[in-house]
Amino acid sequence: MMRILFSILLICSFQFIYAQTRDCDPVVLEGSSVSCMLGIAPTSVVAFKYENASWQQIPMQIDERVLLDIKTPYGPGNDCLYKSIENVAWDVLFYADPNTFTGADTNVTFDVDDELAFMAKDVGELAPNTTCPGGVFTNSKCQVVVSDPLDNNSILGYIYLFEQDGSLSQDAGVDYVDYAYDDFNGDYFNNYTVCINATIPGINPEDSRVTTNRYSQHFSQRWVKDEIKITAGNASGIDILDQHQYFINLNACNRNEDTFSDGKGPIIANKDGPVRGIRSVMGANSGSFTQLDIIFTECRVENEMFYRLHPANGFYEALDLNIDAIGMTFYNNQTVDGNGALIPIAIDGNKDNNVVKEEPNEWELIIGAPGAIACTYTYETDVILGTEDEFDMGLVEGFVAAYQRDWGMSESRKCTGDSMSYNASGFCFRSIVCTDDRYDWANSPSCLPANVNYFSQVRYNYFLSPQTTTSEAAKYASFAKNPLTAMASMQICSNTAPTCTDGIQNGDETAVDCGGSCPPCMACPDETINSVPSTPGIYIYENNNSITSNATIEANVEAHFQAEDYILLTNGFHAKGNAIFRAQILNCAINTAPLIENRSQLEFKVQILPNPIQSDVVRLQLYLPEAGDVLLRLYDLNGRNVGNTQLERAIPKGNHILNYNALNISEGLYLLEVQSAQHRVVKKIMVAN
């Protein structure tokens, strides 16, 4: 296997506070943010934390995604779509699943649109670069720094990604989520009815269950979740859910989670991983492309509704509890008394007239002996929203609000489940805009591309102990709305510290040879390295100022460059297949959190937009902390310079967009070197012709 590494590493020692205050939250990175792992088989990536001076493997997973035409999950023919037939490009990023019509990812490696997930509670300490765990390729080390935007972007902790050698399991022997989904006797393609001519009750019965140490949930049909048992803390664990409701009309039963499931529509993906389970379904009566994605983690569930429908009435979404929830209490941030104190709302099946619902709730709490559910909502749209009164007067295109009905057996809307409502609480979006790009343009002009809108909504449920407080519910809501951030960077991993026994091993008659024993080695003057021995082995070059090199690193040779100020690789530098090259800059002494923030403001930053590229032009977003020239070079994975060398002169300090002309480059992975007078960054790019 070819193992080549190009990197300049700043070794910085700084403090961080390791506080597990967000244990229920996952950390999710798209492949585009983890360039150091791109091109590796998803199952070959493993994660570790460093704690108490030792490496500990942690569970992680990679969920592959694939960009496909929106009708692909319906399968061959796609002839049962309801008037969603217009011929306009509409590609959607789906979770890949080889067991459905969505299919496997067309890119078998970890690519830019795949997702890598681990839990925030599994982060650890900053690891030294002189050690690495067993079972991994030591030149594949990728450091991930996890930060909390709610705490001035302070560092929560670190994890380290590696490519494993085949001896490790990605789950690290841990399974936080068990998603036992119904596989329809192992043959979804033949045993699941996607296209149905009419609504047929119970056409695709299902028996799927998600279980963690905090909760369990059950699904009996595509859209029908009919059980929630909370097992966090000392919760009683009884089932308190009638059904998780999704419906279109408040006063009719013709469009709801039951009819969605009884009509045409596919399962997009079912995925069970150690960190999260994923369930994705599509098809809601005449909303052929309306989609629901559910992400299960240990104590949190995300329900994301992609509302794609012809002009209708919007939708409602609510957790409708059952009779066993009587005795629990409901709180939300809007329902307060004249002094601003929260008003408890008894869940008892008696209509509540004092519940405030003008806007979606910032947070909600359902609490009692069966456990606690802390909820919050987010949404994205380009619909012009206002108040309900403004919508009724035609001044805006729609409105969003909270929804709550605790009417018990007096519920007039006897549509699904037990036909009763016990604190059915949730979210409401009302509008008559079109959100289906392909819906019958002739009869629905608002669905023309120039007029169509979009709307998506996420409900976050945290499953907690009966001792949860309202202030904690508000805290969890802020966690969901302010996800943890993470930054990944390639690093050097060496199981042994570099040594020097008799001067530098360089094999170059023009290079400066320190000579003597170890102490003088770190006092060498500037060094030029024009060649490295071809005999297999490890060759170490140390200098307290700088190193410049145009050497060739032969196969099975490992070369280490270490300098205090900078390392410059000039034209002609080349590392062949099965060679390892490491470059390490040692002059970095940042040791306090405030200085980290200052440093981030001055950091040399490069981002490729988009990645992969599908043209001869690579578009770079660049932040230059000081004015100067910028040099661009392109290498293949063998270290050969395969593109033109492009020099951008006299670029001012600040943010810039640069275009690099990568002419006549074939499809594949490359390394783009971006270098200024004081900085150098190497970015992986993927060319997809």
Side-chain angles (χ1 to χ4, degrees), residues 13 66 118 155 182 193 196 222 233 243 264 295 353 448 568:
S13 173
V66 60
F118 58 92
I155 295 175
D182 196 319
T193 306
I196 306 168
R222 191 170 72 245
Q243 285 191 184
K264 64 195 70 173
I295 311 294
N353 295 315
L448 286 164
L568 177 62

Side-chain angles (χ1 to χ4, degrees), residues 590-658:
I590 298 171
N591 55 21
T592 64
L595 286 177
I596 295 170
E597 294 182 4
N598 294 337
R599 176 174 176 264
S600 68
Q601 296 168 8
L602 301 174
E603 193 174 20
F604 181 71
K605 297 178 181 178
V606 178
Q607 186 176 3
I608 309 296
L609 300 171
N611 195 358
I613 65 169
Q614 294 181 324
S615 69
D616 288 335
V617 177
V618 183
R619 186 176 174 86
L620 296 85
Q621 181 174 302
L622 169 73
Y623 177 76
L624 194 62
E626 65 283 309
D629 298 345
V630 174
L631 188 66
L632 307 172
R633 295 192 189 94
L634 190 68
Y635 299 89
D636 65 14
L637 293 186
N638 290 323
R640 291 187 295 264
N641 191 335
V642 295
N644 63 306
T645 298
Q646 184 172 315
L647 181 63
E648 302 287 341
R649 291 194 175 277
I651 298 179
K653 172 184 176 180
N655 289 299
H656 303 278
I657 298 293
L658 299 182

Side-chain angles (χ1 to χ4, degrees), residues 532 537-541 553 557-561 580-583:
V532 171
I538 299 175
Y539 299 90
I540 300 170
Y541 300 82
I553 315 298
V557 169
E558 184 170 341
H560 297 229
F561 290 0
I580 295 176
F581 170 68
R582 293 194 170 103

Side-chain angles (χ1 to χ4, degrees), residues 4-205:
I4 300 175
L5 172 68
F6 293 91
S7 67
I8 299 295
L9 175 65
L10 297 180
I11 307 298
C12 301
S13 173
F14 50 85
Q15 300 172 348
F16 73 98
I17 299 173
Y18 181 42
Q20 291 186 327
T21 58
R22 301 189 65 164
D23 286 5
C24 283
D25 287 341
V27 181
V28 181
L29 295 88
E30 288 191 347
S32 56
S33 301
V34 199
S35 59
C36 41
M37 290 287 110
L38 290 178
I40 297 175
T43 55
S44 294
V45 182
V46 292
F48 284 80
K49 68 177 177 180
Y50 190 78
E51 195 168 78
N52 299 321
S54 66
W55 289 102
Q56 301 173 31
Q57 191 183 352
I58 66 168
M60 58 143 289
Q61 72 187 73
I62 289 177
D63 296 304
E64 296 183 273
R65 298 194 296 175
V66 60
L67 188 67
L68 299 169
D69 184 273
I70 195 167
K71 67 182 181 182
T72 304
Y74 275 88
N78 311 121
D79 55 358
C80 63
L81 306 177
Y82 183 79
K83 297 184 181 180
S84 298
I85 54 176
E86 300 295 347
N87 186 21
V88 60
W90 193 2
D91 291 336
V92 174
L93 200 57
F94 295 113
Y95 288 104
D97 188 340
N99 298 311
T100 71
F101 291 116
T102 312
D105 193 352
T106 51
N107 186 333
V108 297
T109 67
F110 181 45
D111 59 63
V112 294
D113 53 30
D114 295 340
E115 291 180 340
L116 186 153
F118 58 92
M119 292 302 294
K121 70 175 187 176
D122 286 330
V123 300
E125 304 166 359
L126 179 66
N129 72 301
T130 54
T131 180
C132 52
V136 303
F137 293 114
T138 58
N139 61 349
S140 66
K141 183 181 180 183
C142 181
Q143 177 181 274
V144 179
V145 185
V146 180
S147 301
D148 188 350
L150 292 173
D151 189 18
N152 297 317
N153 289 313
S154 65
I155 295 175
L156 186 68
Y158 302 81
I159 70 144
Y160 294 85
L161 303 172
F162 297 89
E163 181 181 3
Q164 62 150 320
D165 61 11
S167 63
L168 301 175
S169 176
Q170 200 173 67
D171 62 10
V174 177
D175 189 8
Y176 291 138
V177 179
D178 178 22
Y179 180 20
Y181 54 86
D182 196 319
D183 66 354
F184 300 95
N185 296 318
D187 191 357
Y188 166 85
F189 302 100
N190 291 311
N191 294 333
Y192 187 91
T193 306
V194 175
C195 291
I196 306 168
N197 293 327
T199 299
I200 303 176
I203 185 65
N204 289 307

Side-chain angles (χ1 to χ4, degrees), residues 373-552:
I373 307 175
C375 312
T376 192
Y377 310 88
T378 61
Y379 61 89
E380 294 184 3
T381 187
D382 61 352
V383 177
I384 300 172
L385 300 175
T387 65
E388 184 174 1
D389 288 342
E390 290 171 333
F391 175 67
D392 291 340
M393 291 186 290
L395 301 177
V396 294
E397 296 175 323
F399 71 92
V400 291
Y403 173 78
Q404 191 265 355
R405 284 168 79 131
D406 188 20
W407 293 10
M409 291 182 290
S410 300
E411 174 60 67
S412 57
R413 193 180 165 277
K414 299 182 182 296
C415 300
T416 63
D418 60 13
S419 299
M420 297 178 281
S421 65
Y422 290 96
N423 197 68
S425 55
F427 180 93
C428 161
F429 166 58
R430 306 299 290 164
S431 180
I432 56 172
V433 300
C434 179
T435 53
D436 183 343
D437 288 14
R438 290 183 176 171
Y439 191 86
D440 190 2
W441 296 346
N443 293 310
S444 298
S446 63
C447 295
L448 286 164
N451 302 326
V452 74
N453 294 97
Y454 67 87
F455 191 94
S456 65
Q457 175 252 354
V458 184
R459 177 192 186 112
Y460 297 88
N461 292 328
Y462 288 86
F463 296 97
L464 308 166
S465 77
Q467 286 70 45
T468 303
T469 65
T470 54
S471 61
E472 288 172 332
K475 178 186 70 174
Y476 281 107
S478 67
F479 288 172
K481 294 180 178 182
N482 297 274
L484 294 164
T485 60
M487 184 173 65
S489 60
M490 184 180 291
Q491 291 209 330
I492 293 172
C493 179
S494 174
N495 279 322
T496 57
T499 60
C500 174
T501 57
D502 188 17
I504 296 177
Q505 305 174 68
N506 52 45
D508 177 15
E509 66 279 3
T510 65
V512 177
D513 191 339
C514 295
S517 59
C518 286
C521 281
M522 296 309 292
C524 296
D526 290 1
E527 184 170 0
T528 300
I529 300 174
N530 295 326
S531 69
V532 171
S534 59
T535 304
I538 299 175
Y539 299 90
I540 300 170
Y541 300 82
E542 298 172 310
N543 193 279
N544 71 330
N545 292 317
S546 64
I547 294 176
T548 300
S549 177
N550 63 356
T552 296

